[in-house]
Amino acid sequence: MSIQRDQSLMAEPPVAAIGGGTCSPAPWKASVVAELAEVVRNEAVNAEYRHLVANCSEEAARAQPGQFFQLLCPQPAGEQPFLRRPMSLYGADPDRRQVEFLYKVTGAGTRGLDTLRPGDRLDIMGPLGVGFTLDPNWRHIVAVGRGAGLATLAPLAKAAKANGTQVTAVFSARRPGLLVSVELFHRHGADVIAVTDSEQTSGPANVERILRRHIAEGRCDAFFTCGSSRLMRVQQRLAREFGLPGQVAMEQQMACGIGLCYCCVRDFNVNGEIVNRRVCWDGPVFDLMEALP
Amino acid sequence: MNAAINAGMRAAADVDLSVGIGGLTLRNPVMPASGTFAEGLEKVMDFNRLGAFVTKTITRELRAGNPLPRVVERPGGLINAIGIPSKGVPYFIEKTMPHYAAYDTPLVVSISAPTAEGFASLAAELSVPGIAAIEANISCPNIEEDGKAFAMRAESTEKVTRELRRATTLPLWVKLTPNTGDVPEVARAAEAAGADAVVVANTILSMAIDLKTFKPCLGNIMGGLSGPAIKPIVLRQVFQCAKAVKIPVIGCGGISTAEDAVEYMLAGASAVQVGTATFLQPAAMTTIIDGLEAFCRRREIPRVAELIRGVVIEETDEPDLAWLDPVP
Ligand SMILES: Cc1cc2nc3c(=O)[nH]c(=O)nc-3n(C[C@H](O)[C@H](O)[C@H](O)COP(=O)(O)OP(=O)(O)OC[C@H]3O[C@@H](n4cnc5c(N)ncnc54)[C@H](O)[C@@H]3O)c2cc1C
Ligand SMILES: Cc1cc2nc3c(=O)[nH]c(=O)nc-3n(C[C@H](O)[C@H](O)[C@H](O)COP(=O)(O)O)c2cc1C
Ligand code: FES
C-alpha cells in the first residue's frame, strides 16, 4: 500500500545519514548487528578487572574508539539479568575480526560475563554510539581516566598513534595494583602518569598541577576523559582557561542502547541552555564543555 | 528460511502476510510498540519490511519526562517510568516525520493529552498527509477525572474516543490500559464511540524496591511492567476483547518471537506490536515477520489473517473463573 504525501512536508530533506541513506535503491544493509561472538579469552587482569577477547564479524570489529557494545550477559547462578549491559570498546582488530572488552565485576550482568570460557558464545550488539574524534592537527593530547574509564580511553591511544599524535595518559586508581592498561598505552607510545588514592597523588589539586605542566610545555592540544566527574571538572576549568578543546565519554544506565527508549538521558549545558540528551545515541562521547557532572 | 521448507509446502510467494486494520492494509501484522521505536532502528532493520511505524507518544506541550532512574529490570521484564518526553507538534512534523517519509510503510502517530478536548485538537492538528493513522494512548492521567487514566473507565474512554472521532477522519486506534478491572468493557466503549481498532495493551502498573537503600528503584516510584513477564496476562485480555468487539484488536505485551505473535493472533489479535523485545534483540521484528511466514508455510496456511481468532475452544460456555474471584 502507499500513502499520499504532501510534498511541502518534504521541504527539509530526510536525514540520509542514518544507516547509510534512506532513499537509495541499493539494498539495505545493517550497520549495527547483534551476533554471537566466540569468546577467545576471558581472564582477570587484576583484583577487579577482567579482559574479554572475542571473535566477531567484520562489522563489529570495525568499531571506533569511544563506541560501545550492548552485551547480552549470560545468567549467573541464581540471578537473571534481563537487559543488555553497555561496555566500551577496549580494542578492535578488523583484520583478525576481534573485539575486546575490559570490565569490572559489579553486579548480576558482569558476574554473568565472568562465567564465560574460551569457546563460549556471547551475544554482542554494536558498534553503538558516537566515539571520539581526533583532529589530524593535534600533536599532543592528554587523556585522563579513572576506573573503567581507562578501558574507554585505551583504543584512543592506538588511534592517536596512527594519527601521529602523542598521548599522555593520566591514570587514577585507588591503589597501584588496580591500574589497568598501562602496558597497552606504553605499547602505543603513550606516556603514562599514574596517580593513586593510596599514595595520595590522585587528588584534583595534584592532577591539576600535572595538567598545567603539560599545557605550559605545549603538550596538550586537547583533553580526553572518562570515569571521574571530579577529574572532568578540573579539565573543564583548564580547558576554559586556556581555550582548549576536549571530549568526555559518559555513562548512564541503558535499556535499548540505540536511541529508542530515553532512559539514558543526561543534562548538558549547551550555550547556557540545559538540554537533555541520550547518552547512547548522542554520545557516549560529548563535548567536554557541555557535560554536567 | 529456504532451508526449512518441508515437503509438500507451498512456494514462498504463496503466504500472504497482509492484514487489514480498520481502513488500512498492512503488508504484515508486525509493528513496533509506541515508545520502543525511533529512527535509530534503521541501522538494524530495513524499515520497508515493517507492517507499520508507530511513534513514541507525543503531546502538544514540551515535556521533560520523569526523573532518573527511569528503568529497572526484574526477571522476565522491565519496569519503565520514562514519562513522555516530548518536543511538541511542530518539531514532530518538521523533524521527525521526514525520517519516515522515504519509506513505503504507514506512519502511525501516538498521541496523548490530559483532557478529551486536548486529545481532539492534537488529533486534528496531526491529521496531515503522511500520517496513516492515529493511536490514542489513553493510559495517561485524565485531569478531569482526578488523575485516573482515561482507559481505566468505559465512560471516559467513550468520551475521549467520541471527541477524537469528531476531530479526525484518519483511522483511529485506541490503546487501552491493562490496569483496570474490565478491559473488554472499555474496548466496547471505544468501539461504540467510533474507534477503528483497539490496541491491547499498555504496561502493567508495578513497583520495585532496592533492598540496599529501602528506596523505590524508580525515580517516579511506580512504573509500567513490560516484556515476557506480562504476556500471559495481556494475551488473556486480547482474547476477552476480541470476543467483546468487532473492530480489530492489536495485541501488545511481551511478544518476542513469531510463536508469541501466532498465539496472540489465535487469541484474536489482527496485528501485533513488539516493544521490549527490541531492546534485547534489535532485529526482533523482522525475525518475527520471517518466523510468521515460516509458520504459515509449515502449517500450509496461505494467509496469515486466517490465524486471527483461530483459537479452538471446545466449550461454548464462558470459562468458570469463580474460584479466582469468590463471591462472598
Ligand atoms: C557507554 C558505557 C560504557 C561502559 N563501559 C564499561 C567498560 O568498558 N567497563 C566496565 O567495567 N564498565 C563499563 N560500563 C559500566 C557497565 O555498563 C556497568 O558496570 C554494568 O552495566 C554493570 O552491570 P551489572 O549487571 O554487573 O551491575 P548491576 O548493578 O546489577 O546493574 C544493574 C543495572 O544498573 C546498570 N548499571 C550498573 N552500573 C552502571 C554504570 N556504571 N553505568 C551505567 N549503568 C550501570 C546496569 O546496566 C543495569 O541496568 C559502561 C557503561 C556505559 C553506559
Ligand atoms: C521504555 C518504554 C517506553 C514506552 N513508552 C510508551 C509511550 O510513549 N506510549 C505508549 O503508548 N506506550 C509506551 N510504552 C508501552 C509499550 O508501547 C507497550 O505497550 C508495552 O511495553 C508492552 O509491550 P512489550 O511487552 O512488547 O514491551 C513504553 C514501553 C517501554 C518499555
Ligand atoms: S538506552 Fe534507550 S535511548 Fe539510550
Side-chain angles (χ1 to χ4, degrees), chain A residues 30-96:
Chain A
S31 57
V32 168
V33 290
E35 61 180 32
L36 290 177
E38 187 199 352
V39 175
V40 176
R41 205 163 54 234
N42 187 26
E43 290 162 359
V45 293
N46 61 28
E48 288 189 344
Y49 287 92
R50 298 185 68 88
H51 180 201
L52 189 149
V53 182
N55 290 332
C56 62
S57 68
E58 205 181 322
E59 286 78 17
R62 267 199 238 115
Q64 296 296 309
Q67 286 194 302
F68 70 100
F69 282 78
Q70 282 272 73
L71 309 184
L72 196 56
C73 303
Q75 308 213 325
E79 292 178 297
Q80 295 172 275
F82 180 71
L83 294 169
R84 285 175 181 263
R85 301 296 197 249
M87 283 295 157
S88 296
L89 180 78
Y90 183 56
D93 188 334
D95 297 332
R96 295 169 73 182

Side-chain angles (χ1 to χ4, degrees), chain A residues 49 68 81 83-88 102-111 148 151-152 250-254 279 284, chain B residues 73:
Chain A
Y49 287 92
F68 70 100
L83 294 169
R84 285 175 181 263
R85 301 296 197 249
M87 283 295 157
S88 296
L102 186 78
Y103 65 96
K104 182 177 169 179
V105 178
T106 52
T110 44
R111 274 195 289 276
T152 310
M250 309 205 78
E251 288 188 9
Q252 189 66 284
Q253 189 201 8
M254 293 181 181
V279 172
Chain B
E73 60 176 14

Side-chain angles (χ1 to χ4, degrees), chain A residues 262 265 267 276, chain B residues 59 61-67 70 82-87:
Chain A
Y262 286 81
V265 296
D267 285 339
N276 227 222
Chain B
T59 57
E61 71 280 14
L62 305 182
R63 291 168 53 105
N66 285 330
R70 291 176 169 187
I82 306 291
I84 303 185
S86 174
K87 293 183 174 142

Side-chain angles (χ1 to χ4, degrees), chain B residues 30-41:
Chain B
V30 181
M31 67 185 98
S34 174
T36 65
F37 177 77
E39 301 91 86
L41 218 52

Side-chain angles (χ1 to χ4, degrees), chain A residues 1-6 9-10 12 14-15 18-19 22-23 28 30-32 34 72 80-85 123 125 252-253 255-256 258-263 265 276 281, chain B residues 25 35-46 68 70-71 73-78 82 93 95 98-99 101-104 106 129-130 132 228 276 278-282:
Chain A
M1 64 153 293
S2 79
I3 303 166
Q4 294 293 308
R5 288 199 183 83
D6 179 355
L9 286 171
M10 304 281 293
E12 197 162 338
V15 177
I18 296 173
T22 49
C23 306
W28 173 90
S31 57
V32 168
L72 196 56
Q80 295 172 275
F82 180 71
L83 294 169
R84 285 175 181 263
R85 301 296 197 249
D123 188 329
M125 166 190 168
Q252 189 66 284
Q253 189 201 8
C256 72
I258 192 167
L260 317 176
C261 71
Y262 286 81
C263 88
V265 296
N276 227 222
W281 182 252
Chain B
T25 303
T36 65
F37 177 77
E39 301 91 86
L41 218 52
E42 217 272 336
K43 292 188 174 207
V44 179
M45 69 180 60
D46 182 354
L68 301 174
R70 291 176 169 187
V71 302
E73 60 176 14
R74 281 296 177 256
L78 173 67
I82 306 291
I93 291 180
K95 300 276 196 249
H99 283 290
Y103 303 96
D104 186 26
T276 305
T278 296
F279 299 172
L280 302 185
Q281 286 305 343

Side-chain angles (χ1 to χ4, degrees), chain A residues 261, chain B residues 33-36 56-57 78 80 82 110 137 175 201-203 226-227 230 252-255 273-276 279:
Chain A
C261 71
Chain B
S34 174
T36 65
K56 169 91 187 157
T57 300
L78 173 67
N80 93 80
I82 306 291
S110 168
N137 170 11
K175 183 168 177 181
N202 215 306
T203 52
S226 62
I230 72 169
C252 176
I255 296 166
Q273 296 187 342
V274 178
T276 305
F279 299 172

